[in-house]
Amino acid sequence: MTDSHAFLTGRKNDMVALETLLTSIPAIAPEGGGDGETKKADALEKWLKEKGFTKISRYEAPDSRVSSGSRPSIVAEIPGKQNDYAIWVIAHIDVVPVGDLSLWNTDPWKVVEKDGKLYGRGVEDDQQGLCSAVFAALYYLENDITPEHTIKLLFAADEENGSEYGMIWLLNNTNLFNKSDIVIIPDGGDKEGRTIEIAEKNLLWLKVHVKGKQTHGSRPDSGANACLAACDLSVRLHNLEKVFDKKDSLFEPNYSTFQPTKREANVQSINIIPGEDTFYMDCRILPCYKLSDVLAEVEKHCRDVEKEYGVKIDYSTPQKSESPATSADSKAAKILANAIKKTHGIEPEFIGIGGGTVGAELRREGIEAVVWSSLDDQAHQQNEYCIIDNIIRDAETLVEVFKN
């Protein structure tokens, strides 16, 4: 078999060119003021065809908010010798907005190469993983090697805003995945590429609206202070960390977190006691707990605060997600761990994370999914960069994975 390291290092310029192409086409969701992924998906599909991929499928999730009317995800496939399972690598093609442009040293939509790094929005999150997957597959395609099992590359839409038009839509509207499949998601990791994420904390976002009675600052007795009630409630909800208090060394931090975050403006003057107040909580809960049990506690505290302060409280869950872990003894975990050891001589470490990936959606469906990459964790930052050698490094690992 042709040496994969020589093949991949010889394609460095092509990797930079693909990163440059993808970065030049912003793929931002409507929530971030963008028009979705269609133009970027078009360019990627054209590039894949030019490079020799012949089995390409496109899946369009309807979305009337974007000009194309849909949010595309692409699957590129290389048929293997055996069909008892497929090996998937899943990357996402959407990116987050650039934020404060004045904090960027370069144009975020034009790749700049400097000191072995590529700078630009999306170059790491998640185009680095996308490029590693593509060039690992190209190693098989261009060397006319049939992999043991079918290789399937998924370039998904809408990962940055909850995957309603990406992974969730695909799971609900297609039969792409089988429970025997192996899924690798290069969308999180560490500088060495040592850690393999096999579990995620359950995610619960709360939007809490407190309705009291507005009054003058000198007459709290004639009103119902929604801000005061909201502050008390946010502390009570934060203290749920003492109720759901188990520890799990797989995660960092190793406990469940309940954090007040965003707060909406209420009144415009210091001498007005607000009649309405809205705040948000970001809760990351160990997977040993059910969200239904957590929400029962939330409900109890809301009703207690209502009685104490004479207010009305309602709440919603802008996001919630819970999923089981992928076992460290699973086929997916073992195959990836062995590939990392063989290609780079590193002993992998299994971890859990507090953040969310599409891995959670797959695990809920009983599909083995692991998250891994070699990166500096530049996601969503100004002056985002990726290290070119990391693209090559992770592609080498994926070439080894595809031998299984």
Side-chain angles (χ1 to χ4, degrees):
M1 186 177 283
T2 307
D3 176 46
S4 62
H5 180 75
F7 173 85
L8 293 165
T9 54
R11 303 305 295 272
K12 173 183 170 181
N13 290 340
D14 292 328
M15 294 174 182
V16 174
L18 179 56
E19 281 270 26
T20 300
L21 171 66
L22 297 175
T23 303
S24 70
I25 310 170
I28 298 172
E31 291 89 340
D35 195 36
E37 301 87 354
T38 295
K39 290 181 179 178
K40 189 170 182 177
D42 290 345
L44 176 57
E45 185 175 0
K46 181 175 181 288
W47 188 93
L48 291 168
K49 289 177 178 177
E50 289 173 350
K51 295 301 179 183
F53 286 90
T54 57
K55 196 166 184 180
I56 299 174
S57 304
R58 187 156 164 156
Y59 300 88
E60 305 276 354
D63 187 351
S64 60
R65 301 173 301 165
V66 297
S67 60
S68 66
S70 64
R71 309 286 293 280
S73 295
I74 295 172
V75 175
E77 186 174 333
I78 301 177
K81 298 174 185 176
Q82 303 179 61
N83 293 313
D84 51 324
Y85 65 85
I87 299 179
W88 290 85
V89 183
I90 299 176
H92 62 87
I93 56 177
D94 59 319
V95 299
V96 295
V98 298
D100 186 348
L101 193 58
S102 68
L103 297 177
W104 284 78
N105 297 329
T106 61
D107 184 338
W109 305 117
K110 294 181 180 178
V111 164
V112 172
E113 182 177 353
K114 183 180 179 181
D115 299 328
K117 298 176 181 177
L118 302 178
Y119 290 85
R121 174 54 86 223
V123 291
E124 183 189 85
D125 184 25
D126 190 25
Q127 290 164 199
Q128 177 185 314
L130 184 157
C131 288
S132 292
V134 164
F135 283 93
L138 279 176
Y139 170 75
Y140 283 81
L141 199 61
E142 295 190 6
N143 289 295
D144 198 26
I145 302 167
T146 302
E148 286 300 313
H149 287 85
T150 296
I151 296 169
K152 295 185 178 183
L153 310 182
L154 170 58
F155 311 113
D158 196 35
E159 189 274 345
E160 296 290 4
N161 285 276
S163 293
E164 180 182 349
Y165 300 92
M167 182 57 70
I168 293 173
W169 186 88
L170 291 169
L171 288 169
N172 290 336
N173 293 277
T174 73
N175 295 309
L176 282 173
F177 301 98
N178 293 310
K179 290 188 177 180
S180 58
D181 289 346
I182 290 170
V183 177
I184 297 173
I185 303 165
D187 192 22
D190 64 282
K191 292 178 184 293
E192 292 182 283
R194 179 185 298 273
T195 54
I196 299 173
E197 184 258 287
I198 56 173
E200 297 177 15
K201 288 183 179 178
N202 294 332
L203 171 66
L204 178 65
W205 284 1
L206 294 171
K207 177 183 180 181
V208 183
H209 178 248
V210 181
K211 185 173 178 60
K213 182 182 177 183
Q214 183 173 309
T215 186
H216 193 276
S218 66
R219 291 298 309 273
D221 57 309
S222 64
N225 192 329
C227 180
L228 186 61
C231 289
D232 188 352
L233 180 57
S234 68
V235 172
R236 295 187 193 204
L237 296 181
H238 169 65
N239 285 335
L240 289 178
E241 292 182 4
K242 300 175 183 177
V243 177
F244 301 96
D245 60 353
K246 290 182 180 178
K247 304 290 194 296
D248 188 337
S249 60
L250 197 64
F251 296 90
E252 186 178 340
N254 66 351
Y255 54 89
S256 299
T257 59
F258 296 78
Q259 292 294 313
T261 55
K262 179 180 175 182
R263 192 168 208 130
E264 294 184 2
N266 45 32
V267 292
Q268 294 179 310
S269 178
I270 295 173
N271 63 350
I272 299 173
I273 289 175
E276 294 193 50
D277 200 87
T278 301
F279 71 95
Y280 298 76
M281 300 282 297
D282 185 326
C283 312
R284 311 286 171 139
I285 302 151
L286 292 177
C288 60
Y289 294 113
K290 293 182 179 179
L291 290 186
S292 58
D293 293 335
V294 174
L295 286 169
E297 286 292 319
V298 171
E299 175 71 19
K300 175 181 177 295
H301 285 296
C302 285
R303 303 295 80 86
D304 288 346
V305 169
E306 279 184 337
K307 292 177 184 177
E308 184 169 341
Y309 292 91
V311 298
K312 291 293 183 183
I313 298 171
D314 59 76
Y315 60 89
S316 60
T317 55
Q319 271 202 68
K320 61 178 179 177
S321 175
E322 58 184 328
S323 62
T326 296
S327 170
D329 292 323
S330 67
K331 185 167 54 182
K334 286 182 174 179
I335 285 175
L336 178 57
N338 289 336
I340 293 169
K341 282 189 280 190
K342 187 168 183 179
T343 53
H344 303 298
I346 292 174
E347 188 64 40
E349 175 187 351
F350 294 107
I351 65 165
I353 63 169
T357 73
V358 296
E361 313 298 339
L362 292 155
R363 291 174 186 135
R364 272 197 296 276
E365 299 298 320
I367 299 165
E368 296 177 0
V370 292
V371 179
W372 151 89
S373 198
S374 306
L375 43 74
D376 279 4
D377 196 15
Q378 290 289 302
H380 303 192
Q381 297 186 32
Q382 287 85 19
N383 302 306
E384 177 184 350
Y385 68 81
C386 80
I387 298 172
I388 300 171
D389 283 348
N390 281 342
I391 301 175
I392 297 170
R393 176 187 181 87
D394 288 354
E396 286 183 86
T397 301
L398 292 174
V399 167
E400 186 65 30
V401 166
F402 294 153
K403 292 178 183 179
N404 292 273

